[in-house]
Amino acid sequence: MTETEPTHAADELPETIGTESEDDVDPTDAFAVLGNEVRMAALRALLDAEAEGEETLAFSELFEATSADNTAGFSYHLRQLTEHFVRKTDGGYTLTYAGREIARAIRAGTYTDSVDFDPIAVDDPCPFCGEERLAAHGEDNYVVVECRACERPTLTLPFPPGGHRAHDPEGLLPAFDRHHRHRLSLMADGVCPECSAPANARVGYHDADGDGDEPADRAEGVRRPQARFDCERCGCLLRSPVTLAVLEHPAVIAFYHRHGIDVRERPVWNVGDEWRERVVSEEPWCVRVSTEVGGDALALFVAENLEVVTVRESTGQQAS
């Protein structure tokens, strides 16, 4: 990044930027403004205009795009929007950042749609029993991947309703996979995928409720560590096997690339049965994540904060 200010200017920046301002709006007041069809129509019209390359619309154009009976009444509704969602400019009216985000979410059905879908066969073996009988189905904007042979759920993760509706059955699961691969990658990089605030990472025995340190598979007596990511700002929470959290580490990408494999093409519900996880230490935490391909082995030693502290690679007879 190129500095545009003198070197010492960075020392003058506050520790956090723009946490509050005089322009902040109480959420109750902001969302109360949206409870009117005329105002919603105005937001949709501005979003449509942006899609066509028009950043602003004149008062008359916005009025024509709504069901308002007269310009006096519409002027009142527009004033309510200009408190937070719409900005008046010399050329007309344009969406603010908040207005654009809320209009897009409404268009996508994020807050209003609930999508279910019937089971779709998954062309991958179950990571638990090895049978090729995985299936995915939708429940209230969640995608559930489970095995019809051993009846064990592989994963349950949310997927926006816009994604559900925009993809046919053949394209839905690849999109779901990429969606969560990128979310996980952002979290692993310390950035919340929802609000972009700092995300925290912690390795441990995280139960289904996210608060305890109990084994994840009590019924089997197996203590399976997980990587837990959370954002203190918006409350976004994500858990995954430690393997998934380090799958895009440069050493992993390079190792598989040398064997002619793009590991990033492996789906989140089964990244390969060659992977192993073993807890080396709990105080402090250290998890050994290893894989073996073509007789060569790679091991990553992962600390509690998900940092890969050591990478070991062996070839041929050296692999263990």
Side-chain angles (χ1 to χ4, degrees):
M1 182 180 294
T2 301
E3 295 284 350
T4 57
E5 297 289 336
T7 303
H8 297 294
D11 297 334
E12 301 172 5
L13 292 174
E15 293 184 3
T16 57
I17 301 174
T19 54
E20 290 187 11
S21 73
E22 295 181 358
D23 296 330
D24 287 346
V25 177
D26 185 276
T28 302
D29 296 334
F31 284 103
V33 167
L34 299 173
N36 181 279
E37 175 54 33
V38 171
R39 300 169 197 171
M40 296 299 296
L43 292 179
R44 288 195 294 268
L46 286 168
L47 189 65
D48 290 341
E50 282 194 353
E52 296 175 0
E54 296 290 337
E55 295 186 0
T56 62
L57 288 179
F59 178 93
S60 59
E61 293 174 305
L62 276 176
F63 173 67
E64 291 296 329
T66 72
S67 60
D69 295 329
N70 54 70
T71 56
F74 179 67
S75 180
Y76 165 78
H77 290 302
L78 197 53
R79 284 198 303 273
Q80 305 306 305
L81 290 175
T82 53
E83 290 292 323
H84 192 53
F85 299 109
V86 174
R87 179 177 295 109
K88 185 177 182 180
T89 68
D90 293 338
Y93 294 86
T94 185
L95 290 170
T96 63
Y97 173 83
R100 188 173 298 106
E101 290 296 301
I102 197 70
R104 287 173 176 170
I106 292 168
R107 173 68 55 81
T110 302
Y111 306 122
T112 55
D113 293 357
S114 177
V115 181
D116 301 329
F117 63 86
D118 294 332
I120 301 172
V122 178
D123 295 330
D124 292 290
C126 171
F128 301 111
C129 71
E131 294 289 329
E132 294 189 359
R133 296 191 60 191
L134 286 180
H137 67 275
E139 296 179 2
D140 189 22
N141 299 335
Y142 277 78
V143 173
V144 181
V145 180
E146 57 189 356
C147 180
R148 290 174 289 187
C150 66
E151 299 183 348
R152 294 184 62 174
T154 301
L155 59 80
T156 301
L157 291 171
F159 194 48
H164 282 282
R165 299 194 186 283
H167 296 282
D168 57 25
E170 290 73 24
L172 189 146
L173 289 180
F176 168 75
D177 174 57
R178 290 302 173 193
H179 175 78
H180 281 289
R181 289 288 289 267
H182 287 300
R183 286 172 61 87
L184 183 60
S185 179
L186 275 174
M187 280 288 205
D189 284 341
V191 179
C192 174
E194 298 291 340
C195 71
S196 298
N200 302 313
R202 183 166 67 93
V203 173
Y205 297 124
H206 305 303
D207 65 13
D209 296 325
D211 295 324
D213 289 321
E214 296 297 323
D217 290 335
R218 295 191 189 95
E220 297 183 3
V222 178
R223 299 171 70 92
R224 298 186 184 278
Q226 288 182 311
R228 168 177 166 146
F229 306 92
D230 62 89
C231 172
E232 295 181 3
R233 177 74 176 180
C234 72
C236 180
L237 175 65
L238 190 150
R239 299 181 195 86
S240 80
V242 181
T243 297
L244 267 184
V246 300
L247 203 62
E248 296 193 7
H249 187 277
V252 175
I253 301 295
F255 177 79
Y256 274 86
H257 180 73
R258 287 196 296 273
H259 291 83
I261 301 171
D262 186 351
V263 72
R264 293 168 295 187
E265 295 299 322
R266 302 280 183 87
V268 292
W269 49 84
N270 191 345
V271 297
D273 59 6
E274 71 272 18
W275 287 94
R276 299 290 183 271
E277 293 181 6
R278 178 168 62 85
V279 175
V280 177
S281 169
E282 295 181 11
E283 293 183 3
W285 266 99
C286 179
V287 177
R288 181 181 186 269
V289 179
S290 61
T291 184
E292 185 172 343
V293 179
D296 300 334
L298 175 72
L300 295 87
F301 293 82
V302 185
E304 183 175 12
N305 64 355
L306 211 63
E307 179 184 357
V308 176
V309 294
T310 304
V311 176
R312 293 178 183 171
E313 188 172 346
S314 55
T315 59
Q317 298 298 322
Q318 297 176 333
S320 59

Coordinates of all heavy atoms in Angstrom, one line a residue, residues 274-304:
E274 N -7.8 -39.3 3.4 CA -6.3 -39.4 3.8 C -5.9 -38.5 4.9 O -4.8 -38.6 5.4 CB -5.4 -39.1 2.6 CG -5.4 -37.7 2.1 CD -6.5 -37.3 1.1 OE1 -7.5 -38.1 1.0 OE2 -6.3 -36.3 0.4
W275 N -6.8 -37.6 5.3 CA -6.5 -36.6 6.4 C -6.7 -37.3 7.8 O -7.6 -38.0 8.0 CB -7.4 -35.4 6.3 CG -7.1 -34.5 5.1 CD1 -7.6 -34.5 3.9 CD2 -6.1 -33.5 5.1 NE1 -7.0 -33.5 3.1 CE2 -6.1 -32.9 3.8 CE3 -5.2 -33.0 6.1 CZ2 -5.3 -31.8 3.5 CZ3 -4.4 -31.9 5.7 CH2 -4.4 -31.3 4.5
R276 N -5.8 -36.9 8.7 CA -5.9 -37.3 10.1 C -5.7 -36.1 11.0 O -4.9 -35.2 10.7 CB -4.8 -38.4 10.3 CG -5.0 -39.7 9.5 CD -6.2 -40.5 9.9 NE -6.3 -41.7 9.2 CZ -6.9 -41.9 8.0 NH1 -7.5 -40.8 7.5 NH2 -7.0 -43.0 7.4
E277 N -6.3 -36.2 12.2 CA -6.1 -35.2 13.2 C -5.7 -35.9 14.5 O -6.3 -36.9 14.8 CB -7.4 -34.3 13.4 CG -7.7 -33.4 12.2 CD -9.0 -32.6 12.5 OE1 -9.5 -32.7 13.7 OE2 -9.4 -31.9 11.6
R278 N -4.8 -35.4 15.2 CA -4.4 -35.9 16.5 C -4.0 -34.8 17.5 O -3.2 -33.9 17.1 CB -3.2 -36.9 16.3 CG -2.7 -37.5 17.6 CD -1.8 -38.7 17.4 NE -0.6 -38.3 16.7 CZ 0.5 -37.8 17.3 NH1 0.5 -37.6 18.6 NH2 1.6 -37.4 16.6
V279 N -4.6 -34.9 18.7 CA -4.2 -33.9 19.7 C -2.9 -34.2 20.3 O -2.7 -35.3 20.8 CB -5.3 -33.8 20.8 CG1 -4.9 -32.9 21.9 CG2 -6.6 -33.4 20.2
V280 N -1.9 -33.4 20.1 CA -0.6 -33.5 20.7 C -0.5 -33.1 22.1 O 0.1 -33.7 23.0 CB 0.5 -32.8 19.8 CG1 1.9 -33.0 20.4 CG2 0.5 -33.3 18.4
S281 N -1.2 -31.9 22.3 CA -1.2 -31.3 23.7 C -2.4 -30.5 23.9 O -2.9 -29.9 22.9 CB 0.1 -30.5 23.8 OG 0.0 -29.7 25.0
E282 N -2.9 -30.5 25.1 CA -4.0 -29.6 25.4 C -3.6 -28.4 26.2 O -4.4 -27.4 26.3 CB -5.1 -30.4 26.2 CG -5.7 -31.6 25.4 CD -6.8 -32.3 26.1 OE1 -7.2 -31.9 27.2 OE2 -7.2 -33.4 25.7
E283 N -2.5 -28.4 26.9 CA -2.0 -27.3 27.7 C -0.5 -27.1 27.4 O 0.3 -27.8 28.0 CB -2.2 -27.5 29.2 CG -3.7 -27.6 29.6 CD -3.8 -27.7 31.1 OE1 -2.8 -27.7 31.8 OE2 -5.0 -27.8 31.5
P284 N -0.1 -26.3 26.4 CA -1.0 -25.5 25.5 C -1.5 -26.4 24.4 O -1.0 -27.5 24.2 CB 0.0 -24.5 25.0 CG 1.3 -25.2 24.9 CD 1.3 -26.0 26.2
W285 N -2.5 -25.9 23.7 CA -3.2 -26.7 22.7 C -2.2 -26.8 21.5 O -1.6 -25.9 21.0 CB -4.4 -26.0 22.2 CG -5.7 -26.5 22.9 CD1 -6.3 -26.0 23.9 CD2 -6.4 -27.7 22.5 NE1 -7.4 -26.7 24.3 CE2 -7.4 -27.8 23.4 CE3 -6.2 -28.7 21.6 CZ2 -8.3 -28.9 23.4 CZ3 -7.1 -29.8 21.6 CH2 -8.1 -29.9 22.5
C286 N -2.2 -28.1 21.0 CA -1.5 -28.3 19.7 C -2.1 -29.5 19.0 O -2.3 -30.6 19.7 CB 0.0 -28.6 20.0 SG 1.0 -29.0 18.4
V287 N -2.6 -29.3 17.8 CA -3.2 -30.4 17.1 C -2.4 -30.7 15.8 O -2.0 -29.8 15.1 CB -4.6 -30.0 16.6 CG1 -5.3 -31.1 15.8 CG2 -5.5 -29.7 17.9
R288 N -2.1 -32.0 15.6 CA -1.3 -32.4 14.4 C -2.3 -32.8 13.4 O -3.1 -33.7 13.5 CB -0.4 -33.6 14.8 CG 0.4 -34.1 13.6 CD 1.3 -35.3 14.1 NE 2.2 -35.7 13.0 CZ 1.9 -36.7 12.1 NH1 0.7 -37.2 12.1 NH2 2.8 -37.0 11.2
V289 N -2.3 -32.0 12.3 CA -3.1 -32.3 11.1 C -2.2 -32.9 10.0 O -1.3 -32.2 9.6 CB -3.9 -31.0 10.6 CG1 -4.7 -31.4 9.4 CG2 -4.7 -30.5 11.7
S290 N -2.5 -34.1 9.5 CA -1.6 -34.7 8.6 C -2.4 -35.3 7.4 O -3.6 -35.6 7.5 CB -0.8 -35.8 9.3 OG -1.6 -36.8 9.8
T291 N -1.6 -35.5 6.3 CA -2.2 -36.1 5.1 C -1.1 -36.9 4.4 O 0.1 -36.6 4.6 CB -2.8 -35.0 4.2 OG1 -3.4 -35.7 3.1 CG2 -1.8 -34.1 3.7
E292 N -1.5 -37.8 3.6 CA -0.5 -38.6 2.9 C -1.0 -38.8 1.5 O -2.1 -39.3 1.3 CB -0.2 -39.9 3.6 CG 0.9 -40.7 2.9 CD 1.3 -42.0 3.7 OE1 0.9 -42.0 4.9 OE2 1.9 -42.9 3.1
V293 N -0.2 -38.5 0.5 CA -0.5 -38.7 -0.9 C 0.7 -39.3 -1.7 O 1.8 -38.8 -1.6 CB -0.9 -37.4 -1.6 CG1 -1.2 -37.6 -3.1 CG2 -2.1 -36.7 -0.9
G294 N 0.4 -40.4 -2.4 CA 1.5 -41.0 -3.2 C 2.7 -41.4 -2.4 O 3.9 -41.4 -2.9
G295 N 2.5 -41.8 -1.1 CA 3.7 -42.2 -0.3 C 4.4 -41.0 0.4 O 5.2 -41.2 1.2
D296 N 4.0 -39.8 0.1 CA 4.6 -38.6 0.7 C 3.6 -38.1 1.8 O 2.4 -38.2 1.6 CB 4.8 -37.5 -0.3 CG 5.8 -37.9 -1.4 OD1 6.6 -38.8 -1.2 OD2 5.7 -37.4 -2.5
A297 N 4.2 -37.6 2.8 CA 3.4 -37.1 4.0 C 3.6 -35.7 4.3 O 4.7 -35.1 4.1 CB 3.7 -38.0 5.2
L298 N 2.6 -35.0 4.8 CA 2.7 -33.6 5.2 C 2.0 -33.5 6.6 O 0.9 -34.1 6.8 CB 2.0 -32.7 4.2 CG 1.9 -31.2 4.6 CD1 3.2 -30.6 4.5 CD2 0.9 -30.5 3.7
A299 N 2.6 -32.9 7.5 CA 2.0 -32.7 8.9 C 2.1 -31.2 9.2 O 3.2 -30.6 9.1 CB 2.7 -33.5 9.9
L300 N 1.0 -30.7 9.8 CA 1.0 -29.3 10.2 C 0.6 -29.3 11.7 O -0.3 -30.0 12.1 CB -0.1 -28.5 9.5 CG 0.2 -28.2 8.0 CD1 -0.4 -29.4 7.2 CD2 -0.5 -26.9 7.6
F301 N 1.4 -28.6 12.5 CA 1.1 -28.5 14.0 C 0.4 -27.2 14.2 O 1.0 -26.1 14.0 CB 2.4 -28.7 14.7 CG 3.0 -30.1 14.6 CD1 3.8 -30.4 13.5 CD2 2.8 -31.1 15.6 CE1 4.3 -31.7 13.3 CE2 3.3 -32.3 15.4 CZ 4.0 -32.7 14.3
V302 N -0.8 -27.3 14.7 CA -1.7 -26.1 14.8 C -1.9 -25.7 16.3 O -2.2 -26.6 17.1 CB -3.0 -26.4 14.2 CG1 -3.9 -25.1 14.2 CG2 -2.8 -26.9 12.8
A303 N -1.6 -24.5 16.6 CA -1.7 -24.0 18.0 C -3.2 -23.6 18.3 O -4.0 -23.6 17.4 CB -0.8 -22.8 18.2
E304 N -3.4 -23.2 19.5 CA -4.8 -22.8 19.9 C -5.4 -21.7 19.1 O -6.6 -21.7 18.9 CB -4.8 -22.5 21.4 CG -6.2 -22.2 22.0 CD -6.3 -22.0 23.5 OE1 -5.2 -21.8 24.1 OE2 -7.4 -22.0 24.0

